[in-house]
Amino acid sequence: MAMDGQDIQFADTLPPPEYAKAPTWTFEQQVQELTRRLMVVNGMLKKQLSFSPRPTDVIVATSPKSGTTWVTHICHQIRTKGAEPDFENQMPDVIIVLDMGGRPELNIDPNTMVQPAEPRIYFTHHTYETIPKGGRVSLSVFSELLTNLHWTADNLRGLLGWWEHRHDEDVLFLFFDDLKEDHMRCVRRIAKFIGVDCDEETFARVVHTTTHAEMARHSSKFDVHNLVSFWAKMYGDDPPSEFNGRVRKDGGRSGDGQKLSREMQERIDLEWYDIITAKLGFRDLKEMRATWKKEMDTL
């Protein structure tokens, strides 16, 4: 979608489909609901377009299912020097979701909403081409966890854009597997990148508070129950008795795409070839990451 010459992504900004089901609605009610949603989307677009990053702002830009919760928590723990999490829900209490900016019912304004510490941290699924420019820092994480063909194509186009800018001063490029293999090194890189000085004790504390075990111990702080409950109430439904946490039970694994059917995997491989191999020459993600690791060792 284009507006004022800018491409805007707003997937994931509307309430989940299960809270929009109203089989007894009349046609007039359905039209009224559609109109309301269009007004909400218009408000979100205006807020996204009006967002003006400060030079020190951190924008965590990830593809879906690529360690979003983990990386944003690492950023938050670095800026709070590893303090015990005291927020009710990570998003949007301490991490602002740019893709939800302008939701009047949620009272989220990315420009003015106060954050608990500096630098300000934002999260988005925007690509390099569509991410708000002007901030000193941005962060991208990419994972091999590709389980939806539509998402896969979008993710690969996003990966291509971030890869081409991986050496920019305002871009810190990470793979999900980098975090899995060397947690401490990634924490150090992120801290340096976002401009926060930490001593060794603080680094150790940040690594500890961002382990899977510690985040799982506070899993309710990462399940966005406040947003889900709000949406349920808004649509006249009872909130769910249980919430799906954003901290995966297994800690997350790269390569879960291997569980796909042979046909689906072949279609995904074809997407990779058309988008990545044709432009960059990499036969698969492992080959791309191997090149990245060699580049990292020279930095």
Side-chain angles (χ1 to χ4, degrees), residues 65 143-153 155-156 248 253-272:
K65 308 301 180 183
S143 172
E144 197 177 3
L145 184 61
L146 305 173
T147 57
N148 177 287
L149 192 60
H150 175 71
W151 276 8
T152 297
N155 288 349
L156 293 180
R248 298 182 60 184
R253 295 187 305 272
S254 181
D256 277 1
Q258 296 174 3
K259 298 179 181 179
L260 299 176
S261 67
R262 180 178 178 180
E263 180 183 5
M264 180 60 73
Q265 189 61 56
E266 288 176 348
R267 293 177 66 187
I268 290 175
D269 290 342
L270 182 61
E271 291 281 4
W272 176 277

Side-chain angles (χ1 to χ4, degrees), residues 56 97 104 137 141 163 173 175 177-178 180 182 187-188 198 216 227 262 287-290 299:
T56 56
V97 185
V137 294
V141 179
W163 179 262
F173 188 91
F175 281 100
D177 283 329
D178 295 339
K180 294 287 287 187
D182 200 334
V187 167
R188 291 180 185 276
C198 299
L227 296 180
R262 180 178 178 180
E287 190 172 286
M288 173 183 271
R289 185 166 176 257
L299 297 179

Side-chain angles (χ1 to χ4, degrees), residues 55-273:
T56 56
D57 284 348
V58 179
I59 302 177
V60 179
T62 71
S63 55
K65 308 301 180 183
S66 296
T68 304
T69 303
W70 193 10
V71 177
T72 50
H73 190 49
I74 288 175
C75 290
H76 177 66
Q77 288 303 106
I78 288 172
R79 71 178 178 178
T80 60
K81 302 301 179 74
E84 185 76 5
D86 60 356
F87 49 84
E88 179 185 353
N89 217 203
Q90 185 202 40
M91 298 181 186
D93 293 355
V94 295
I95 304 295
I96 307 303
V97 185
L98 283 180
D99 300 358
M100 297 178 69
R103 299 277 321 240
E105 68 273 25
L106 296 178
N107 194 30
I108 296 175
D109 187 330
N111 284 300
T112 61
M113 191 167 179
V114 177
Q115 297 199 26
E118 292 288 338
R120 301 191 305 179
I121 302 172
Y122 298 89
F123 150 67
T124 184
H125 285 319
H126 278 270
T127 63
Y128 178 84
E129 289 74 20
T130 63
I131 198 170
K133 302 299 192 298
R136 178 175 61 87
V137 294
S138 54
L139 187 77
S140 180
V141 179
F142 192 84
S143 172
E144 197 177 3
L145 184 61
L146 305 173
T147 57
N148 177 287
L149 192 60
H150 175 71
W151 276 8
T152 297
D154 287 345
N155 288 349
L156 293 180
R157 294 187 190 98
L159 171 60
L160 180 62
W162 286 111
W163 179 262
E164 293 177 338
H165 291 274
R166 66 192 183 282
H167 295 307
D168 290 4
E169 291 185 357
D170 63 345
V171 173
L172 175 62
F173 188 91
L174 290 171
F175 281 100
F176 179 78
D177 283 329
D178 295 339
L179 291 158
K180 294 287 287 187
E181 292 180 6
D182 200 334
H183 191 174
M184 174 62 85
R185 184 184 185 190
C186 288
V187 167
R188 291 180 185 276
R189 288 187 63 209
I190 294 171
K192 179 180 179 181
F193 185 67
I194 68 178
V196 177
D197 294 326
C198 299
D199 56 27
E200 291 304 311
E201 182 179 347
T202 300
F203 276 128
R205 190 162 54 246
V206 170
V207 169
H208 172 70
T209 57
T210 58
T211 60
H212 176 259
E214 278 300 295
M215 291 180 67
R217 188 166 69 88
H218 297 287
S219 60
S220 65
K221 295 180 180 293
F222 303 98
D223 63 11
V224 294
H225 59 269
N226 52 354
L227 296 180
V228 175
S229 296
F230 183 90
W231 284 324
K233 181 179 179 180
M234 187 170 67
Y235 283 95
D237 294 331
D238 294 326
S241 57
E242 295 183 2
F243 295 88
N244 293 324
R246 296 168 64 88
V247 180
R248 298 182 60 184
K249 293 181 179 180
D250 59 6
R253 295 187 305 272
S254 181
D256 277 1
Q258 296 174 3
K259 298 179 181 179
L260 299 176
S261 67
R262 180 178 178 180
E263 180 183 5
M264 180 60 73
Q265 189 61 56
E266 288 176 348
R267 293 177 66 187
I268 290 175
D269 290 342
L270 182 61
E271 291 281 4
W272 176 277
Y273 180 84

